[in-house]
């Protein structure tokens, strides 16, 4: 009997329905595509969905809440744009600093490789001569003419001759201050005439050494062997100095200058032009001969 009673009670019991909480907890899906040309259409679909699936829009504060959300999102977007601009400015400033630093380092390296005391280095490793057809080095400078070489060495103000050590030989030059390492100490580029050389103190701030060349028909590439060499093809003697030369020497110098200019322009030298003239004359005198393979050596 007890069992039957239990069954009857179960049969008479009212049917249970899904609770409202269970139904409300079920998530509703929303599907929509955003048209970038009409974003308000997407927003309108969102609010339609909210109206159908919730009581959000029925709340008296709905409009205020929506504006609050929009305002917060807008402020977030503005902040994001400002942060991106700030980041971009910082990157540009950093890039500008990097470029500036690179330029400064390049200039420093350039000065280190070719300081003001030395002429610019060419592709062949030679230096462009200074205005005196010599070279400005770190501790001294030198200039030259075809006959002489003049060396200028800065010394401490008030220097007296007794403090100077200067030794001039046919193929050797040594200069320095007593008790200190020599400033110049080496074999000269070419031999000189020691009896025609001398040194003097200029304004007690520099020592000038005059060296008379033994071979007065050639330009020196350096003062002493081992120093940076100049490109003698870029030597440009002053016309006024050429006028002081005798006619034979002047012709030789002018020939040298002409040949240098011709070589720089890739044109034949005076000797090559002379050979061409001789060949042309010989060809005109012997038309019966074939000169198509003739070469000028």
């Amino acid at each position: 009997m007890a069992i039957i009673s239990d069954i009857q009670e179960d049969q008479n019991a009212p049917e249970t329905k899904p609770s409202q909480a269970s139904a409300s907890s079920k998530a509703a899906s929303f599907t929509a595509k955003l048209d970038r040309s009409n974003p308000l259409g997407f927003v309108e679909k969102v609010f339609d969905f909210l109206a159908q699936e919730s009581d959000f829009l029925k709340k008296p504060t709905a409009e205020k809440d929506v504006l609050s959300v929009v305002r917060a999102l807008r402020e977030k977007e503005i902040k994001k744009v400002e942060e991106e601009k700030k980041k971009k400015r910082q990157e540009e400033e950093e890039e500008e600093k990097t470029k500036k630093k690179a330029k400064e380092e390049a200039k420093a390296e350039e000065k280190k490789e070719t300081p003001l005391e030395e002429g610019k280095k060419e592709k062949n490793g030679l230096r462009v001569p200074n205005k005196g057809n010599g070279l400005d080095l770190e501790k001294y400078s030198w200039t030259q003419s075809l006959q002489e070489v003049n060396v200028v060495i800065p010394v401490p103000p008030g220097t007296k001759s007794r403090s100077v050590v200067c030794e001039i030989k046919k193929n050797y030059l040594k200069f320095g201050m007593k008790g200190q390492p020599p400033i110049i100490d080496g074999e000269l580029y070419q031999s000189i005439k020691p009896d025609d050389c001398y040194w003097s103190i200029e304004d007690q701030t520099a020592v000038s050494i005059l060296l008379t060349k033994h071979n007065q028909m050639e330009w020196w590439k350096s003062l002493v062997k081992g120093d940076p060499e100049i490109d003698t093809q870029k030597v440009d003697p002053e016309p006024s100095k050429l006028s002081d030369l005798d006619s034979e020497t002047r012709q030789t110098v002018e020939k040298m200058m002409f040949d240098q200019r011709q070589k720089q322009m890739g044109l034949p030298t005076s000797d090559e032009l002379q050979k061409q003239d001789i060949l042309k004359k010989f060809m005109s005198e012997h038309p019966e001969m074939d000169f198509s393979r003739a070469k000028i050596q």
Side-chain angles (χ1 to χ4, degrees), residues 240-261:
S240 59
K241 292 183 179 180
L242 289 176
S243 63
D244 298 334
L245 304 175
D246 59 78
S247 59
E248 183 179 354
T249 304
R250 180 173 179 175
Q251 288 177 3
T252 304
V253 174
E254 289 176 344
K255 179 178 178 296
M256 290 171 56
M257 294 172 62
F258 174 79
D259 289 343
Q260 288 176 2
R261 287 194 295 268

Side-chain angles (χ1 to χ4, degrees), residues 106-116 118-121 127:
K107 286 182 180 180
E109 189 66 24
E110 184 179 352
K111 287 182 180 180
K112 183 179 178 181
E113 291 181 357
T114 55
L116 295 175
E118 298 182 11
K120 294 180 179 178
K121 186 184 291 186
R127 309 278 180 168

Side-chain angles (χ1 to χ4, degrees), residues 114-133:
T114 55
L116 295 175
E117 292 79 14
E118 298 182 11
K120 294 180 179 178
K121 186 184 291 186
E122 297 182 315
K123 292 181 179 179
N124 56 9
L126 301 177
R127 309 278 180 168
V128 177
N130 58 22
K131 293 181 180 180
N133 298 322

Side-chain angles (χ1 to χ4, degrees), residues 47 56 59-72:
F47 284 115
F56 176 75
K59 293 169 58 178
T61 60
E63 184 177 355
K64 183 178 179 181
D65 292 342
V66 170
L67 291 175
S68 178
V69 171
V70 172
R71 189 180 299 107

Side-chain angles (χ1 to χ4, degrees), residues 52-293:
Q52 293 173 9
E53 300 295 335
S54 71
D55 296 333
F56 176 75
L57 296 181
K58 295 179 181 180
K59 293 169 58 178
T61 60
E63 184 177 355
K64 183 178 179 181
D65 292 342
V66 170
L67 291 175
S68 178
V69 171
V70 172
R71 189 180 299 107
L73 291 173
R74 191 166 182 274
E75 290 176 354
K76 184 178 179 181
E77 185 64 22
I78 292 173
K79 186 177 179 181
K80 181 181 177 182
V81 172
E82 289 178 350
E83 287 178 352
E84 288 178 352
K85 287 182 178 179
K86 183 179 179 180
K87 184 178 179 181
K88 187 177 180 181
R89 283 197 303 268
Q90 290 176 345
E91 290 176 351
E92 290 176 351
E93 289 175 359
E94 192 66 27
E95 185 179 358
E96 188 66 25
K97 287 180 181 179
T98 303
K99 288 181 179 179
K100 186 177 180 181
K101 185 178 179 181
K103 287 181 179 179
E104 290 175 353
E105 290 177 352
K107 286 182 180 180
E109 189 66 24
E110 184 179 352
K111 287 182 180 180
K112 183 179 178 181
E113 291 181 357
T114 55
L116 295 175
E117 292 79 14
E118 298 182 11
K120 294 180 179 178
K121 186 184 291 186
E122 297 182 315
K123 292 181 179 179
N124 56 9
L126 301 177
R127 309 278 180 168
V128 177
N130 58 22
K131 293 181 180 180
N133 298 322
L135 199 58
D136 299 326
L137 300 175
E138 183 179 356
K139 295 183 178 181
Y140 69 91
S141 63
W142 63 278
T143 58
Q144 66 174 321
S145 65
L146 281 171
Q147 297 81 25
E148 300 171 340
V149 174
N150 189 57
V151 188
V152 177
I153 309 106
V155 294
T159 296
K160 304 294 183 181
S161 58
R162 61 177 177 270
S163 303
V164 174
V165 177
C166 187
E167 186 179 345
I168 302 174
K169 295 183 179 180
K170 182 179 179 180
N171 295 297
Y172 173 76
L173 175 63
K174 180 179 181 180
F175 176 86
M177 306 297 292
K178 285 184 179 180
Q180 299 181 17
I183 297 173
I184 302 174
D185 186 8
E187 183 181 355
L188 293 168
Y189 182 77
Q190 286 190 2
S191 60
I192 58 172
K193 300 177 181 179
D195 294 339
D196 296 334
C197 302
Y198 64 90
W199 63 272
S200 61
I201 298 178
E202 306 290 341
D203 299 327
Q204 295 185 331
T205 58
V207 171
S208 176
I209 304 175
L210 181 67
L211 306 176
T212 302
K213 295 180 180 179
H214 188 273
N215 179 3
Q216 300 190 348
M217 298 301 297
E218 188 174 346
W219 299 105
W220 286 16
K221 290 185 177 181
S222 65
L223 177 65
V224 294
K225 294 181 179 179
D227 274 2
E229 296 185 351
I230 65 169
D231 186 352
T232 53
Q233 290 189 359
K234 296 189 179 299
V235 167
D236 188 19
E238 297 179 10
S240 59
K241 292 183 179 180
L242 289 176
S243 63
D244 298 334
L245 304 175
D246 59 78
S247 59
E248 183 179 354
T249 304
R250 180 173 179 175
Q251 288 177 3
T252 304
V253 174
E254 289 176 344
K255 179 178 178 296
M256 290 171 56
M257 294 172 62
F258 174 79
D259 289 343
Q260 288 176 2
R261 287 194 295 268
Q262 291 292 99
K263 287 179 180 179
Q264 290 175 4
M265 294 185 291
L267 300 175
T269 62
S270 56
D271 292 336
E272 292 170 344
L273 289 172
Q274 186 178 5
K275 290 179 182 179
Q276 289 179 3
D277 292 339
I278 294 173
L279 179 60
K280 288 178 182 178
K281 183 177 180 181
F282 186 80
M283 290 170 62
S284 64
E285 293 175 353
H286 300 276
E288 72 282 1
M289 298 179 67
D290 182 13
F291 295 94
S292 60
R293 296 184 180 181

